[in-house]
mmCIF file of all heavy atoms in Angstrom:
data_model
loop_
_atom_site.group_PDB
_atom_site.id
_atom_site.type_symbol
_atom_site.label_atom_id
_atom_site.label_comp_id
_atom_site.label_asym_id
_atom_site.label_seq_id
_atom_site.Cartn_x
_atom_site.Cartn_y
_atom_site.Cartn_z
ATOM 1 N N MET I 13 -5.889 3.650 -4.886
ATOM 2 C CA MET I 13 -5.968 3.857 -3.442
ATOM 3 C C MET I 13 -7.033 4.885 -3.066
ATOM 4 O O MET I 13 -7.133 5.279 -1.902
ATOM 5 C CB MET I 13 -4.603 4.308 -2.913
ATOM 6 C CG MET I 13 -3.510 3.274 -3.057
ATOM 7 S SD MET I 13 -1.915 3.839 -2.430
ATOM 8 C CE MET I 13 -2.258 4.108 -0.703
ATOM 9 N N GLU I 14 -7.851 5.329 -4.032
ATOM 10 C CA GLU I 14 -8.784 6.431 -3.772
ATOM 11 C C GLU I 14 -9.765 6.095 -2.651
ATOM 12 O O GLU I 14 -9.994 6.907 -1.742
ATOM 13 C CB GLU I 14 -9.546 6.783 -5.049
ATOM 14 C CG GLU I 14 -10.483 7.972 -4.869
ATOM 15 C CD GLU I 14 -11.165 8.366 -6.171
ATOM 16 O OE1 GLU I 14 -10.814 7.780 -7.231
ATOM 17 O OE2 GLU I 14 -12.032 9.253 -6.130
ATOM 18 N N GLU I 15 -10.369 4.901 -2.689
ATOM 19 C CA GLU I 15 -11.350 4.542 -1.669
ATOM 20 C C GLU I 15 -10.703 4.444 -0.295
ATOM 21 O O GLU I 15 -11.299 4.841 0.715
ATOM 22 C CB GLU I 15 -12.035 3.225 -2.027
ATOM 23 C CG GLU I 15 -13.027 3.329 -3.178
ATOM 24 C CD GLU I 15 -13.897 2.090 -3.286
ATOM 25 O OE1 GLU I 15 -14.436 1.641 -2.241
ATOM 26 O OE2 GLU I 15 -14.032 1.561 -4.402
ATOM 27 N N LEU I 16 -9.481 3.921 -0.236
ATOM 28 C CA LEU I 16 -8.786 3.819 1.039
ATOM 29 C C LEU I 16 -8.487 5.200 1.598
ATOM 30 O O LEU I 16 -8.689 5.458 2.799
ATOM 31 C CB LEU I 16 -7.496 3.019 0.868
ATOM 32 C CG LEU I 16 -6.596 2.941 2.109
ATOM 33 C CD1 LEU I 16 -7.320 2.267 3.270
ATOM 34 C CD2 LEU I 16 -5.300 2.212 1.785
ATOM 35 N N VAL I 17 -7.995 6.096 0.757
ATOM 36 C CA VAL I 17 -7.692 7.450 1.214
ATOM 37 C C VAL I 17 -8.955 8.135 1.738
ATOM 38 O O VAL I 17 -8.936 8.831 2.764
ATOM 39 C CB VAL I 17 -7.058 8.273 0.066
ATOM 40 C CG1 VAL I 17 -6.930 9.742 0.473
ATOM 41 C CG2 VAL I 17 -5.692 7.704 -0.301
ATOM 42 N N HIS I 18 -10.080 7.934 1.065
ATOM 43 C CA HIS I 18 -11.351 8.519 1.500
ATOM 44 C C HIS I 18 -11.747 7.971 2.870
ATOM 45 O O HIS I 18 -12.189 8.725 3.757
ATOM 46 C CB HIS I 18 -12.450 8.228 0.475
ATOM 47 C CG HIS I 18 -13.784 8.788 0.855
ATOM 48 N ND1 HIS I 18 -14.070 10.137 0.789
ATOM 49 C CD2 HIS I 18 -14.909 8.167 1.328
ATOM 50 C CE1 HIS I 18 -15.321 10.336 1.192
ATOM 51 N NE2 HIS I 18 -15.847 9.162 1.525
ATOM 52 N N ALA I 19 -11.569 6.651 3.066
ATOM 53 C CA ALA I 19 -11.922 6.037 4.349
ATOM 54 C C ALA I 19 -11.021 6.535 5.467
ATOM 55 O O ALA I 19 -11.478 6.793 6.590
ATOM 56 C CB ALA I 19 -11.840 4.515 4.234
ATOM 57 N N LEU I 20 -9.738 6.695 5.184
ATOM 58 C CA LEU I 20 -8.802 7.183 6.203
ATOM 59 C C LEU I 20 -9.101 8.628 6.578
ATOM 60 O O LEU I 20 -8.814 9.068 7.702
ATOM 61 C CB LEU I 20 -7.366 7.051 5.697
ATOM 62 C CG LEU I 20 -6.809 5.629 5.576
ATOM 63 C CD1 LEU I 20 -5.440 5.641 4.911
ATOM 64 C CD2 LEU I 20 -6.730 4.956 6.942
ATOM 65 N N GLY I 21 -9.685 9.380 5.641
ATOM 66 C CA GLY I 21 -10.021 10.774 5.925
ATOM 67 C C GLY I 21 -11.062 10.932 7.007
ATOM 68 O O GLY I 21 -11.194 12.010 7.597
ATOM 69 N N CYS I 22 -11.786 9.863 7.299
ATOM 70 C CA CYS I 22 -12.810 9.892 8.341
ATOM 71 C C CYS I 22 -12.277 9.389 9.686
ATOM 72 O O CYS I 22 -13.045 9.284 10.658
ATOM 73 C CB CYS I 22 -14.008 9.041 7.918
ATOM 74 S SG CYS I 22 -14.768 9.568 6.362
ATOM 75 N N LEU I 23 -10.986 9.038 9.733
ATOM 76 C CA LEU I 23 -10.384 8.497 10.945
ATOM 77 C C LEU I 23 -9.313 9.456 11.470
ATOM 78 O O LEU I 23 -8.747 10.253 10.720
ATOM 79 C CB LEU I 23 -9.749 7.129 10.649
ATOM 80 C CG LEU I 23 -10.705 6.023 10.176
ATOM 81 C CD1 LEU I 23 -9.924 4.775 9.797
ATOM 82 C CD2 LEU I 23 -11.738 5.704 11.249
ATOM 83 N N PRO I 24 -9.017 9.393 12.788
ATOM 84 C CA PRO I 24 -8.013 10.296 13.380
ATOM 85 C C PRO I 24 -6.586 9.850 13.069
ATOM 86 O O PRO I 24 -5.871 9.311 13.921
ATOM 87 C CB PRO I 24 -8.320 10.199 14.880
ATOM 88 C CG PRO I 24 -8.853 8.818 15.060
ATOM 89 C CD PRO I 24 -9.665 8.536 13.819
ATOM 90 N N VAL I 25 -6.155 10.072 11.845
ATOM 91 C CA VAL I 25 -4.815 9.650 11.411
ATOM 92 C C VAL I 25 -3.756 10.580 11.980
ATOM 93 O O VAL I 25 -3.854 11.807 11.859
ATOM 94 C CB VAL I 25 -4.737 9.625 9.874
ATOM 95 C CG1 VAL I 25 -3.301 9.309 9.429
ATOM 96 C CG2 VAL I 25 -5.711 8.613 9.305
ATOM 97 N N GLN I 26 -2.741 9.982 12.602
ATOM 98 C CA GLN I 26 -1.614 10.775 13.116
ATOM 99 C C GLN I 26 -0.542 10.931 12.051
ATOM 100 O O GLN I 26 -0.071 12.025 11.788
ATOM 101 C CB GLN I 26 -1.025 10.113 14.359
ATOM 102 C CG GLN I 26 0.189 10.854 14.936
ATOM 103 C CD GLN I 26 0.654 10.236 16.234
ATOM 104 O OE1 GLN I 26 -0.170 9.789 17.049
ATOM 105 N NE2 GLN I 26 1.946 10.194 16.452
ATOM 106 N N ASP I 27 -0.161 9.837 11.409
ATOM 107 C CA ASP I 27 0.780 9.877 10.288
ATOM 108 C C ASP I 27 0.689 8.565 9.525
ATOM 109 O O ASP I 27 0.106 7.585 10.001
ATOM 110 C CB ASP I 27 2.230 10.138 10.753
ATOM 111 C CG ASP I 27 2.742 9.062 11.690
ATOM 112 O OD1 ASP I 27 2.800 7.894 11.276
ATOM 113 O OD2 ASP I 27 3.094 9.376 12.841
ATOM 114 N N MET I 28 1.265 8.564 8.320
ATOM 115 C CA MET I 28 1.287 7.335 7.540
ATOM 116 C C MET I 28 2.494 7.332 6.614
ATOM 117 O O MET I 28 3.016 8.391 6.243
ATOM 118 C CB MET I 28 -0.002 7.148 6.742
ATOM 119 C CG MET I 28 -0.330 8.233 5.763
ATOM 120 S SD MET I 28 -1.930 7.902 4.961
ATOM 121 C CE MET I 28 -2.078 9.336 3.911
ATOM 122 N N GLU I 29 2.936 6.121 6.258
ATOM 123 C CA GLU I 29 4.086 5.919 5.380
ATOM 124 C C GLU I 29 3.704 4.949 4.281
ATOM 125 O O GLU I 29 3.017 3.956 4.533
ATOM 126 C CB GLU I 29 5.284 5.354 6.154
ATOM 127 C CG GLU I 29 5.789 6.230 7.279
ATOM 128 C CD GLU I 29 6.893 5.555 8.072
ATOM 129 O OE1 GLU I 29 7.262 4.411 7.705
ATOM 130 O OE2 GLU I 29 7.368 6.148 9.050
ATOM 131 N N THR I 30 4.137 5.239 3.065
ATOM 132 C CA THR I 30 3.931 4.305 1.955
ATOM 133 C C THR I 30 5.267 3.707 1.560
ATOM 134 O O THR I 30 6.303 4.367 1.636
ATOM 135 C CB THR I 30 3.306 5.012 0.743
ATOM 136 O OG1 THR I 30 4.151 6.091 0.339
ATOM 137 C CG2 THR I 30 1.930 5.536 1.071
ATOM 138 N N GLU I 31 5.226 2.459 1.148
ATOM 139 C CA GLU I 31 6.436 1.741 0.755
ATOM 140 C C GLU I 31 6.274 1.219 -0.661
ATOM 141 O O GLU I 31 5.297 0.523 -0.962
ATOM 142 C CB GLU I 31 6.688 0.576 1.711
ATOM 143 C CG GLU I 31 7.937 -0.235 1.374
ATOM 144 C CD GLU I 31 8.100 -1.412 2.319
ATOM 145 O OE1 GLU I 31 7.427 -1.431 3.371
ATOM 146 O OE2 GLU I 31 8.882 -2.323 1.985
ATOM 147 N N ARG I 32 7.214 1.584 -1.523
ATOM 148 C CA ARG I 32 7.170 1.085 -2.898
ATOM 149 C C ARG I 32 7.546 -0.385 -2.917
ATOM 150 O O ARG I 32 8.522 -0.785 -2.288
ATOM 151 C CB ARG I 32 8.141 1.880 -3.769
ATOM 152 C CG ARG I 32 8.129 1.471 -5.232
ATOM 153 C CD ARG I 32 9.196 2.194 -6.010
ATOM 154 N NE ARG I 32 9.239 1.750 -7.389
ATOM 155 C CZ ARG I 32 10.192 2.090 -8.249
ATOM 156 N NH1 ARG I 32 11.164 2.877 -7.870
ATOM 157 N NH2 ARG I 32 10.168 1.654 -9.496
ATOM 158 N N PRO I 33 6.819 -1.218 -3.646
ATOM 159 C CA PRO I 33 7.128 -2.645 -3.671
ATOM 160 C C PRO I 33 8.436 -2.921 -4.415
ATOM 161 O O PRO I 33 8.807 -2.188 -5.328
ATOM 162 C CB PRO I 33 5.943 -3.253 -4.415
ATOM 163 C CG PRO I 33 5.463 -2.153 -5.300
ATOM 164 C CD PRO I 33 5.676 -0.881 -4.523
ATOM 165 N N SER I 34 9.119 -3.955 -3.994
ATOM 166 C CA SER I 34 10.310 -4.395 -4.709
ATOM 167 C C SER I 34 9.899 -5.376 -5.796
ATOM 168 O O SER I 34 8.758 -5.852 -5.841
ATOM 169 C CB SER I 34 11.285 -5.077 -3.743
ATOM 170 O OG SER I 34 10.730 -6.304 -3.285
ATOM 171 N N LEU I 35 10.848 -5.704 -6.667
ATOM 172 C CA LEU I 35 10.566 -6.714 -7.689
ATOM 173 C C LEU I 35 10.263 -8.054 -7.043
ATOM 174 O O LEU I 35 9.483 -8.851 -7.569
ATOM 175 C CB LEU I 35 11.758 -6.835 -8.637
ATOM 176 C CG LEU I 35 11.552 -7.687 -9.882
ATOM 177 C CD1 LEU I 35 10.397 -7.154 -10.722
ATOM 178 C CD2 LEU I 35 12.821 -7.743 -10.717
ATOM 179 N N GLU I 36 10.832 -8.302 -5.864
ATOM 180 C CA GLU I 36 10.554 -9.550 -5.160
ATOM 181 C C GLU I 36 9.081 -9.626 -4.761
ATOM 182 O O GLU I 36 8.455 -10.689 -4.855
ATOM 183 C CB GLU I 36 11.438 -9.671 -3.917
ATOM 184 C CG GLU I 36 11.240 -10.980 -3.168
ATOM 185 C CD GLU I 36 12.280 -11.207 -2.098
ATOM 186 O OE1 GLU I 36 13.071 -10.286 -1.835
ATOM 187 O OE2 GLU I 36 12.291 -12.303 -1.524
ATOM 188 N N ASP I 37 8.515 -8.488 -4.322
ATOM 189 C CA ASP I 37 7.092 -8.478 -3.980
ATOM 190 C C ASP I 37 6.244 -8.821 -5.202
ATOM 191 O O ASP I 37 5.265 -9.568 -5.107
ATOM 192 C CB ASP I 37 6.684 -7.094 -3.454
ATOM 193 C CG ASP I 37 7.356 -6.750 -2.142
ATOM 194 O OD1 ASP I 37 7.530 -7.666 -1.318
ATOM 195 O OD2 ASP I 37 7.712 -5.578 -1.942
ATOM 196 N N VAL I 38 6.606 -8.241 -6.355
ATOM 197 C CA VAL I 38 5.874 -8.519 -7.589
ATOM 198 C C VAL I 38 5.990 -9.990 -7.944
ATOM 199 O O VAL I 38 5.001 -10.655 -8.276
ATOM 200 C CB VAL I 38 6.419 -7.649 -8.742
ATOM 201 C CG1 VAL I 38 5.665 -7.943 -10.034
ATOM 202 C CG2 VAL I 38 6.321 -6.173 -8.393
ATOM 203 N N PHE I 39 7.210 -10.489 -7.875
ATOM 204 C CA PHE I 39 7.475 -11.887 -8.219
ATOM 205 C C PHE I 39 6.641 -12.828 -7.354
ATOM 206 O O PHE I 39 5.978 -13.739 -7.848
ATOM 207 C CB PHE I 39 8.966 -12.157 -8.034
ATOM 208 C CG PHE I 39 9.371 -13.589 -8.245
ATOM 209 C CD1 PHE I 39 9.515 -14.096 -9.518
ATOM 210 C CD2 PHE I 39 9.610 -14.421 -7.169
ATOM 211 C CE1 PHE I 39 9.889 -15.416 -9.717
ATOM 212 C CE2 PHE I 39 9.985 -15.733 -7.362
ATOM 213 C CZ PHE I 39 10.126 -16.226 -8.635
ATOM 214 N N LEU I 40 6.646 -12.579 -6.043
ATOM 215 C CA LEU I 40 5.903 -13.449 -5.140
ATOM 216 C C LEU I 40 4.398 -13.351 -5.381
ATOM 217 O O LEU I 40 3.677 -14.345 -5.243
ATOM 218 C CB LEU I 40 6.240 -13.090 -3.688
ATOM 219 C CG LEU I 40 7.656 -13.430 -3.236
ATOM 220 C CD1 LEU I 40 7.907 -12.906 -1.837
ATOM 221 C CD2 LEU I 40 7.906 -14.925 -3.298
ATOM 222 N N SER I 41 3.930 -12.175 -5.779
ATOM 223 C CA SER I 41 2.496 -12.031 -6.051
ATOM 224 C C SER I 41 2.088 -12.900 -7.235
ATOM 225 O O SER I 41 0.981 -13.441 -7.267
ATOM 226 C CB SER I 41 2.140 -10.569 -6.309
ATOM 227 O OG SER I 41 2.602 -10.121 -7.574
ATOM 228 N N TYR I 42 2.970 -13.057 -8.228
ATOM 229 C CA TYR I 42 2.646 -13.919 -9.373
ATOM 230 C C TYR I 42 2.598 -15.381 -8.952
ATOM 231 O O TYR I 42 1.763 -16.154 -9.428
ATOM 232 C CB TYR I 42 3.680 -13.752 -10.482
ATOM 233 C CG TYR I 42 3.385 -12.575 -11.377
ATOM 234 C CD1 TYR I 42 4.090 -11.394 -11.241
ATOM 235 C CD2 TYR I 42 2.394 -12.640 -12.343
ATOM 236 C CE1 TYR I 42 3.813 -10.303 -12.043
ATOM 237 C CE2 TYR I 42 2.105 -11.554 -13.148
ATOM 238 C CZ TYR I 42 2.821 -10.398 -12.999
ATOM 239 O OH TYR I 42 2.539 -9.322 -13.779
ATOM 240 N N TYR I 43 3.484 -15.784 -8.045
ATOM 241 C CA TYR I 43 3.528 -17.182 -7.650
ATOM 242 C C TYR I 43 2.480 -17.552 -6.633
ATOM 243 O O TYR I 43 2.209 -18.715 -6.380
ATOM 244 C CB TYR I 43 4.934 -17.552 -7.181
ATOM 245 C CG TYR I 43 5.797 -17.954 -8.338
ATOM 246 C CD1 TYR I 43 6.410 -16.981 -9.107
ATOM 247 C CD2 TYR I 43 5.926 -19.267 -8.726
ATOM 248 C CE1 TYR I 43 7.159 -17.310 -10.229
ATOM 249 C CE2 TYR I 43 6.668 -19.622 -9.831
ATOM 250 C CZ TYR I 43 7.284 -18.648 -10.581
ATOM 251 O OH TYR I 43 8.007 -18.989 -11.690
#
């Protein structure tokens, strides 16, 4: 996520939230 974090540093960010993926997200990404 380094490049994304660098890009966001140049924008007026108020707040942000990260969400850990579930196993279902992983499973669907394979399919």
Side-chain angles (χ1 to χ4, degrees):
M13 295 180 62
E14 183 176 354
E15 287 193 48
L16 175 61
V17 172
H18 180 73
L20 290 173
C22 302
L23 298 175
V25 175
Q26 178 175 323
D27 61 61
M28 59 183 179
E29 300 175 1
T30 58
E31 180 183 345
R32 182 185 177 189
S34 68
L35 189 59
E36 182 170 8
D37 295 323
V38 180
F39 175 78
L40 291 174
S41 73
Y42 276 103
Y43 274 82

